[in-house]
Amino acid sequence: MSFAALQSRVNATALSRLGEDVLLDGVTVRADFAEPYAQGYMDGVSAEARAPQITLESANVPAAVSGKAVVARSTNYTVANHKPDGFGLSTLILELA
C-alpha cells in the first residue's frame, strides 16, 4: 500500500470516528468542527482570535468553495477561505452567515 493510500485511509477513519456531520453546500459531509475562541489583551500583549473552521477530506470540497453555505451545530456559516494541507485534508475557514 502506498503512503498516499494509507494517509487517505487514516484520514477517513479519523473523521468517521471523531468528526461530525455538517452540511456543505447542501451536502452532508463528515468533518471536524472547531469553534472560535478569543483571548483578550493581557498586560498590553495583543489578542488572538480564531474563526470557526471545519477540516474534511479534500475530495469532499466542491470547486470554488469560497462563499458556499455551511451548517454546523445548527449555525449557518459561509466559507471564507480554503486551506488544503496537501495530504488529503482541507480546512475551511468560516464566517457567520
Side-chain angles (χ1 to χ4, degrees):
M1 175 182 297
S2 70
F3 179 78
L6 178 60
Q7 184 71 42
S8 180
R9 287 181 64 185
V10 169
N11 290 344
T13 300
L15 288 172
S16 72
R17 303 254 194 262
L18 304 174
E20 59 191 88
D21 289 337
V22 301
L23 280 177
L24 172 58
D25 198 29
V27 177
T28 301
V29 296
R30 199 76 177 161
D32 178 35
F33 176 72
E35 294 195 63
Y37 69 89
Q39 179 179 346
Y41 286 93
M42 184 155 60
D43 293 331
V45 176
S46 63
E48 181 178 341
R50 188 171 124 194
Q53 60 187 15
I54 59 172
T55 301
L56 68 162
E57 291 182 88
S58 295
N60 292 330
V61 177
V65 70
S66 292
K68 302 278 188 190
V70 173
V71 180
R73 297 185 184 169
S74 301
T75 303
N76 295 314
Y77 298 97
T78 302
V79 177
N81 198 1
H82 173 211
K83 296 182 177 185
D85 72 357
F87 295 100
L89 292 177
S90 288
T91 299
L92 302 181
I93 309 300
L94 309 174
E95 297 175 335
L96 284 172

